[in-house]
Structures are given as structure tokens and as C-alpha cells.
Amino acid sequence: MSNPYDEALKIRDLAVKHNKFFEESIPLIASENIMSPLAMEMLVTDFGSRYAEGLPHHRYYQGNYYVDQVEDLTIDLAKRLFNAKQADPRPVSGTNANTAILFGLSKPGDTITAPPLSGGGHISAAKFGAVGLRGLNLFNYPFDVDDMNIDIDGSIKLIKKEKPKLCLFGKSVFLFPEPLKELNEAFKEVGTKVWYDAAHVLGLIAGGKFQDPLREGADVISGSTHKTFPGPQHGIILGNTDDDTWKKVQRGVFPGVLSNHHLNSMAALGVTIAEEIEYGAEYADKTIRNAQALGESLSSLGIKVLGEKHGFTKSHTIVADIRAQGGGRHVSEYLESCGVVLNKNLLPWDDNKKSQDPSGIRIGTQEVTRIGMGPSEMKEIADIISMAIVDNREVDQVKSRVLDLKSRFTETKYCFGKHKPYSYIELFNPGE
Ligand SMILES: *Cc1c(COP(=O)(O)O)cnc(C)c1O
């Protein structure tokens, strides 16, 4: 066993290599993004060493004079960006925000309706995830594969029959807006609370380019702040609901499901919200246009992109049925070796046994858009993917095209200040 110092430096070396790997790759995972320099700076502050249980100005610990001001500012900025009546920036992740809402707004034995996993629903909305942990009766909306969306008539029937306490919307494969307006009458009839999980599309909603759930009937929105929303790995809850409901949600957050709310990432979130107020509309618009352009290009190269009936996507995501090219597992692994990073994904007709080798892949354009790529680069990415998995070219040939493309995009956009993405920031001084 080598000495601990060497082991520590080995970890650091792996981090440097990881950064370089992403610097030289085309990042297409639909749930990831990169932060602005100001947000990253917040992560290494002393905020990351403190506790601030409770709400601003009503804390259990001393030392929160500046933390309270950061949290007040973050709440105000979030209300402004999302035009929300309420905002809670404490959840430390999207799943944590979801668990808080379940804790605050439901009791064991209550009924919830949610999108099915096979239609892109997230594990936190599953029996074996947070919904199961809360002991709820779960009913899934029927899913229409042609529309790549939940079936409206079937969902109205389901809601009226089961009279759920909570109606959950939002998915991890999220191509088209949820039909909230169309279901509004059913919500009213049964008196349910409407919860929209915006983990994937929070940045698109921030930019006003996808749908506006708080105006379409949602009582609360939960979200991750690091997918299309280009902030730190954190979570948020937004509300347009009555004070009593909001109080229950906030008690769900603390003391319900967290103690420390990761004050450094909350500060990074506040900074990112300010940047989104400035740049969010343009960023969301370009992200969606890029996804549509990539869908068009891949389709024209003979790859079966889903959702064709509605122009492939209205979000940052496209999904393709890749069985003819060797299946999701082979395609995602071969592309990774070429420097194109995306994930394999279950498609609606796959059963769970196929989760290690599903029929599909999922692609997101939010990160390549963030570094300045546009529609002509989407065409280039489609060519690169096709070269690898349709023409079966050698890894080295594909890789050199990846490097050539990526080396032309060396700046994080839609944020304050300048930064070279994926560059490693050195703080450590080895001393004598
Ligand atoms: C990613 C995701 C989450 C979970 O977010 P984390 O921040 O990873 O905990 C929740 N819901 C949906 C729909 C997601 O896609």
C-alpha cells in the first residue's frame, strides 16, 4: 500500500484527467451541464463548511449573518426569474426536492398519479423510489408512443376515477410539454394538488421557451438545478399556491428531509439564477433549436429518431431507436470510446429486463449549446455519430473529427465573466 499522500494525489490526478476527457469530448448527456466561473467560485467558499438549519433570520446556529442574506437574495431572484409566488432553494438535489414535496403534501396510503417509467418517468416517481418510500398508491398515466406524451383522454379518466391527492408530471425523457391545461378540469373536479417535476426542463422554463407550469395549473414545481438549468448540483422548489400548502412543503424540506442545505451550492445557485435572468431566454431558445436540428440531421442520415410526428422535440432532448445500429449498449459504449458521451435509454416498448441493453439512446443539446455550438455544429455531430455507428469507422478516425470540432469551442457562454470550460482550477500548494 503506498502512502496516503500519494493516494490523495492519485485522486487529484484522476480529477485532472477527468476534466481533460470532457475537454476533448462532445458532451451529450441530457441531464448534465457546466457551471459559470462565478458559480464555481462559490463552491469553494467557506459557505461549504457551515450549517444554517431553518429559514433565514430564524436559524438554530450562529454565524449565519451573511448566509441569511445570500438565501434571501436567492429566493428573491428565483421568484423573479420564474414569476413564482414562493421559492425554496434549500433542497440539495432534484430527488431531495421531490422527497420533500411527498413528505409535505402526502401521507402513507394516499394516492398519486404519475408518468410511467417506460414513458420517461423518473425513478423518484416509482414504487421502488421515493413514491414507494412514502407508501403511496401509484397509478401511471397511459402513454401514447406516437405522440411521445401521456394520453390525454386516458389520463382524464384515470384522475377522475382514482381521485389522487397528488398529480405528478415531468419526466427524464422529456420531449414535449405536459398537457396540464387539457387536464385542468379534471384536477379541479377531484381537488388534487398538481406537482410538476421540472428537473430536466428547469432552464427551458426559466427562459420561457417550453411551458409555464405555474400558469397552467401547477401548485408546485420541483427541479434539479444542473440539467438544462446550468447551475450547481442542487435542487429547488417553486410555488404558486396558498400559504398553508407552502408551509407544509417547507416543513417537508426541513425538518422533513434535510438538515444541512449545502450553503456553497445554494450561493452558486443564486449566482446562476441571476445569470439566467440575463441570458436564460436566449440560451433556452438556442438549446431547443439545436435539439431540433440534431434530430433532423440524424433522421436524414437514416437513424430512427422518435417523435417525428411533432418535429422530434420541443425540448433539449431527442431519443432514437438504435436497434438497427447494434442497440443502446453497443452504441453508447462505442461512441464513448470515440469521445461522444451520451447514454443508452429504455424506450416505451422495452420491458425492465432490457435496462442494461435497451433499444434506445438519449441525447441532450444543453451543454454543447452552452459552449457556443449552433445548428451547423449539430449537423457535424450527426455526421460524426453516423460515421461511428452507421459506417462503422475506426475509433481513431472518429476521434480526430471529435477533437477538431471540440477544439473550436473553448468558452462558457450565457454567463458573467469569461471561462475556459473543463479547465482544472488549482488551489493546492504542496509546501516543502
Ligand atoms: C434527474 C431527475 C430527478 C432527480 O434529480 P437529482 O438532482 O439527480 O436528484 C428527478 N426527477 C426527474 C424527472 C429527473 O429527470
Side-chain angles (χ1 to χ4, degrees), residues 383-395:
D383 280 341
I384 289 171
I385 290 174
S386 159
M387 184 180 168
I389 65 170
V390 178
D391 307 336
N392 299 310
R393 297 284 191 80
E394 301 281 322
V395 168

Side-chain angles (χ1 to χ4, degrees), residues 160-350:
K160 290 188 175 178
K161 173 159 179 277
E162 300 301 340
K163 303 189 172 41
K165 185 87 170 285
L166 276 174
C167 286
L168 169 61
F169 298 90
K171 306 184 279 285
S172 300
V173 178
F174 206 160
L175 304 182
F176 302 108
E178 296 282 33
L180 294 185
K181 281 187 240 159
E182 292 82 345
L183 301 177
N184 242 304
E185 189 237 313
F187 301 150
K188 293 241 164 65
E189 185 181 313
V190 305
T192 184
K193 289 273 178 281
V194 181
W195 162 24
Y196 185 101
D197 179 348
H200 260 266
V201 294
L202 192 69
L204 309 181
I205 290 170
K209 303 296 173 194
F210 188 62
Q211 69 182 128
D212 190 359
L214 292 179
R215 251 58 56 191
E216 294 168 23
D219 293 280
V220 286
I221 293 182
S222 58
S224 309
T225 58
H226 48 263
K227 296 184 181 179
T228 52
F229 194 91
Q233 293 193 323
H234 200 84
I236 195 167
I237 301 175
L238 303 158
N240 195 7
T241 193
D242 59 90
D243 295 348
D244 182 51
T245 302
W246 185 247
K247 212 179 249 170
K248 288 179 185 161
V249 169
Q250 292 214 293
R251 278 202 297 264
V253 176
F254 175 86
V257 301
L258 65 72
S259 162
N260 188 338
H261 57 286
H262 300 184
L263 310 175
N264 57 337
S265 66
M266 182 179 69
L269 171 59
V271 163
T272 313
I273 296 172
E275 292 175 323
E276 282 283 288
I277 291 173
E278 188 78 20
Y279 302 108
E282 190 191 352
Y283 175 40
D285 184 55
K286 293 210 166 129
T287 296
I288 296 166
R289 283 172 196 272
N290 277 345
Q292 290 165 342
L294 188 55
E296 287 285 345
S297 297
L298 284 171
S299 176
S300 73
L301 292 166
I303 290 168
K304 191 166 181 295
V305 184
L306 304 193
E308 181 163 16
K309 185 175 161 192
H310 301 291
F312 304 113
T313 187
K314 288 191 163 44
S315 75
H316 63 302
T317 301
I318 55 174
V319 271
D321 180 343
I322 213 80
R323 280 175 292 181
Q325 288 77 30
R329 181 181 189 155
H330 162 74
V331 162
S332 59
E333 287 175 2
Y334 190 67
L335 285 172
E336 181 186 33
S337 67
C338 301
V340 178
V341 186
L342 49 71
N343 63 280
K344 58 182 182 284
N345 215 99
L346 286 170
L347 296 182
W349 48 82
D350 289 337

Side-chain angles (χ1 to χ4, degrees), residues 81-135:
L81 176 62
F82 293 99
N83 190 13
K85 186 171 156 201
Q86 297 114 343
D88 192 326
R90 292 176 299 169
V92 297
S93 74
T95 302
N96 189 223
N98 289 354
T99 317
I101 288 174
L102 286 166
F103 198 87
L105 299 185
S106 71
K107 292 191 303 296
D110 284 347
T111 293
I112 188 170
T113 53
L117 293 195
S118 61
H122 186 253
I123 42 174
S124 56
K127 272 280 178 209
F128 57 82
V131 161
L133 178 72
R134 191 61 175 144

